[in-house]
């Protein structure tokens, strides 16, 4: 890696031995090396990677974890301690899928709040850190590049409500400043690029396409093995979507997705059309939180069985593997009972604005319903759209009031005069 890491300048890098970005890239690279060495029948490299990879993975997941803080540290210090600052950089390791699931979700929960995830993208460093400065390169500016990692990481661990607005922010940048281009970095306080920014950075531009395809559509090709993974997580308020020309080696796939949510359950219908050599597609349906009785009906091909979770230890259901051949139309229909999901907030950006939009921090199912955690500005009111089971809502933590929005969702008013407020809302089935 030649010493490449997250920090190039500033106090965050003081006495740093290794940062979590470098460590995450190293673990992901080892996993890729295992696959390539096996493919190339290079026993020497395969043996070395097999020996090193488990230790690297264990170190990443344990040495960087701060139990008392509930998130991964930024780095390991030269003296053996840790730099415990909350930064966006663990999201890169999350995007590569190299974190253990529970700890990944706890860190991503912290990253989802406005202290990291502003309306227009991810701050390098938490706004609550003593080192934070909204104009300093590594100390608080917003980079589209790392914003993409934050979005992709949220999707990787099945948290689409926290990932969509970050990707959507990069989309909006396309039209607000250098038309069709994405700037290198933005102010941490205002939605404006900094004077010293590179006006067209490829890193930034790539982070619109990557979380859209890898996150929203869940597309991961594996051309050497004639496979691909399709794990779509469309926003709950998108009734349908389509993407054409997905490549897996010489094979091209067109995919159409239609989804429907009802009080008793719902369905996700996926149609795949293939051109080129046969490819095995590992399909993962997107179930609402707490849904039960999932079934998948397959037409147009045979089911090859259930695929394993794979080297990246992806959370979610074990994929259903189907074979798609030239000119074939494959239809997969997943159905379920119950469950609840929340649409990601929509934030319309205006150049020069301050960050003040709503955030969905978490949605988890319990024995008697769901716990929805949201965040917003004190003194403001926001609507959160819910899909699936009809629910009653009660605030069980945080300074806020909740009521029905009249459309099956909830309207939350955050108390106080200033700052950000987090509220926990208990949702229980009506009746």
């Amino acid at each position: 890696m030649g010493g490449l890491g997250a920090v190039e300048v500033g106090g965050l890098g003081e006495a740093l031995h290794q940062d979590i970005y470098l460590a995450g890239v190293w673990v992901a690279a080892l996993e890729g090396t295992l696959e390539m060495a096996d493919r190339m029948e290079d026993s020497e490299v395969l043996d070395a990677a097999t020996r090193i990879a488990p230790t690297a993975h264990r170190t990443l997941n344990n040495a960087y974890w701060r139990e008392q803080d509930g998130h991964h540290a930024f780095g390991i210090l030269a003296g053996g301690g840790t730099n415990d600052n909350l930064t966006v950089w663990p999201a890169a390791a999350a995007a590569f899928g190299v974190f253990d699931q529970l700890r990944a979700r706890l860190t991503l929960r912290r990253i989802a709040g406005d202290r990291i995830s502003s309306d227009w993208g991810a701050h390098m460093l938490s706004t609550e850190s003593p080192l934070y400065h909204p104009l300093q390169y590594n100390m608080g500016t917003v980079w589209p590049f790392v914003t993409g990692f934050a979005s992709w990481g949220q999707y990787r661990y099945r948290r689409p409500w926290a990932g969509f607005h970050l990707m959507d922010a990069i989309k909006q940048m396309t039209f607000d400043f250098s038309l069709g281009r994405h700037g290198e970095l933005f102010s941490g306080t205002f939605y404006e690029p900094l004077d010293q920014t590179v006006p067209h950075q490829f890193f930034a531009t790539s982070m619109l396409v990557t979380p859209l395809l890898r996150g929203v559509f869940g597309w991961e090709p594996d051309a050497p093995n004639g496979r691909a993974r399709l794990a779509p997580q469309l926003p709950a308020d998108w009734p349908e979507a389509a993407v054409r020309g997905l490549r897996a080696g010489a094979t091209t796939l067109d995919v159409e997705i239609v989804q429907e949510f009802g009080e008793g359950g719902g369905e996700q219908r996926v149609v795949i059309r293939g051109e080129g050599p046969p490819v095995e597609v590992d399909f993962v349906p997107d179930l609402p939180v707490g849904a039960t009785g999932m079934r998948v009906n397959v037409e147009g091909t045979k089911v090859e069985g259930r695929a394993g979770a794979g080297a990246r230890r992806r959370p979610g259901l074990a994929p259903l593997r189907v074979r798609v051949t030239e000119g074939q139309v494959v239809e997969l229909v997943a159905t379920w009972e119950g469950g609840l999901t929340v649409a990601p907030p929509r934030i319309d950006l205006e150049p020069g604005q301050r960050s003040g939009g709503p955030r969905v921090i978490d949605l988890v199912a319990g024995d008697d319903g769901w716990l929805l955690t949201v965040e917003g500005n004190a003194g403001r009111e926001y609507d959160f759209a819910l899909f699936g089971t009809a629910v009653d809502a009660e605030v069980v933590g945080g300074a806020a009031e909740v009521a029905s929005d009249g459309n099956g969702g909830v309207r939350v008013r955050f108390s106080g005069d200033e700052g950000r407020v987090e509220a926990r809302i208990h949702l229980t089935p009506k009746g």
Side-chain angles (χ1 to χ4, degrees):
M1 292 295 294
L4 175 66
V7 171
E8 296 168 288
V9 296
L12 191 60
E14 185 176 345
L16 189 67
H17 167 66
Q18 184 189 66
D19 64 59
I20 197 165
Y21 173 66
L22 180 59
V25 170
W26 168 237
V27 174
L30 283 169
E31 292 190 346
T33 300
L34 285 168
E35 296 179 17
M36 289 190 294
D38 182 56
R39 182 79 179 180
M40 298 301 295
E41 299 182 352
D42 189 328
S43 59
E44 183 177 354
V45 172
L46 181 61
D47 289 346
T50 301
R51 184 177 65 257
I52 296 170
T55 300
H57 179 265
R58 187 166 54 251
T59 301
L60 173 69
N61 279 276
N62 294 335
Y64 284 87
W65 177 247
R66 308 307 300 154
E67 184 68 34
Q68 66 272 29
D69 299 319
H71 66 81
H72 292 85
F74 169 67
I76 303 296
L77 300 176
T82 54
N83 179 324
D84 296 342
N85 274 285
L86 174 65
T87 69
V88 70
W89 291 109
F96 299 137
V98 295
F99 279 147
D100 293 339
Q101 183 174 169
L102 176 60
R103 290 177 176 178
R105 292 181 67 89
L106 289 171
T107 293
L108 290 168
R109 189 184 189 282
R110 298 291 301 276
I111 287 174
D114 191 71
R115 63 175 68 87
I116 292 290
S117 295
S118 77
D119 286 1
W120 53 91
H123 297 279
M124 289 277 200
L125 175 67
S126 169
T127 58
E128 296 177 344
S129 171
L131 296 173
Y132 172 77
H133 192 291
L135 301 181
Q136 289 188 8
Y137 190 73
N138 284 135
M139 299 297 111
T141 55
V142 169
W143 288 29
F145 171 54
V146 295
T147 296
F149 279 127
S151 176
W152 184 9
Q154 297 286 5
Y155 275 101
R156 171 73 78 169
Y157 287 89
R158 314 297 293 182
R159 294 171 41 84
W161 52 79
F164 182 86
H165 101 266
L166 296 169
M167 181 207 68
D168 193 60
I170 301 176
K171 179 205 75 177
Q172 293 184 60
M173 289 174 188
T174 307
F175 305 98
D176 286 341
F177 301 102
S178 300
L179 295 184
R181 300 178 178 181
H182 297 86
E184 177 189 15
L185 71 160
F186 287 68
S187 164
T189 301
F190 302 103
Y191 177 46
E192 288 286 345
L194 299 184
D195 291 342
Q196 67 268 34
T197 188
V198 175
H200 183 197
Q201 187 189 56
F202 174 74
F203 283 2
T205 302
S206 70
M207 283 306 190
L208 171 58
V209 178
T210 302
L212 175 61
L213 289 181
R214 294 293 183 100
V216 177
F217 286 98
W219 174 251
E220 295 183 48
D222 181 8
N225 293 309
R227 292 177 183 162
R229 180 182 173 91
L230 183 65
Q233 298 177 72
L234 304 186
D237 51 1
W238 283 13
E240 59 184 311
V243 59
R244 295 177 173 83
L246 295 172
R247 295 296 298 269
T251 302
T252 302
L253 300 180
D254 294 342
V255 175
E256 298 173 4
I257 305 168
V258 177
Q259 60 185 10
E260 182 178 344
F261 302 93
E263 292 188 14
E267 82 170 26
Q268 182 183 58
R269 184 181 301 269
V270 176
V271 177
I272 306 172
R273 295 176 172 85
E275 292 185 10
V279 63
E280 292 180 334
V281 176
D282 293 344
F283 170 62
V284 182
D286 185 27
L287 270 63
V289 177
T292 60
M294 191 274 292
R295 298 175 296 278
V296 180
N297 182 61
V298 180
E299 295 185 5
T301 189
K302 64 178 182 177
V303 177
E304 300 289 333
R306 292 278 180 184
R312 297 288 173 86
R313 296 165 295 281
R314 303 173 183 89
L317 300 169
L320 184 71
R321 180 167 291 170
V322 297
R323 186 175 177 83
V324 181
T325 59
E326 174 82 41
Q328 190 176 31
V329 178
V330 176
E331 183 177 71
L332 305 107
V333 181
T335 58
W336 59 81
E337 299 169 4
L340 186 71
T341 191
V342 57
R346 298 303 197 273
I347 302 171
D348 294 326
L349 298 176
E350 293 289 340
Q353 74 172 59
R354 287 179 177 268
S355 188
R359 305 285 182 272
V360 176
I361 305 299
D362 212 354
L363 176 64
V364 295
D367 294 337
D368 58 349
W370 298 264
L371 185 64
L372 173 68
T373 305
V374 293
E375 180 189 277
N377 273 15
R380 286 189 59 181
E381 187 174 84
Y382 307 86
D383 288 343
F384 296 91
L386 300 173
F387 293 80
T389 304
V391 294
D392 293 315
E394 176 188 10
V395 175
V396 294
E401 299 175 355
V402 64
S404 170
D405 69 354
N407 296 306
V410 293
R411 179 166 295 149
V412 181
R413 181 172 183 80
F414 294 92
S415 304
D417 298 323
E418 61 181 2
R420 297 289 287 185
V421 179
E422 184 176 289
R424 298 186 303 280
I425 301 167
H426 187 211
L427 305 170
T428 54
K430 283 186 176 291

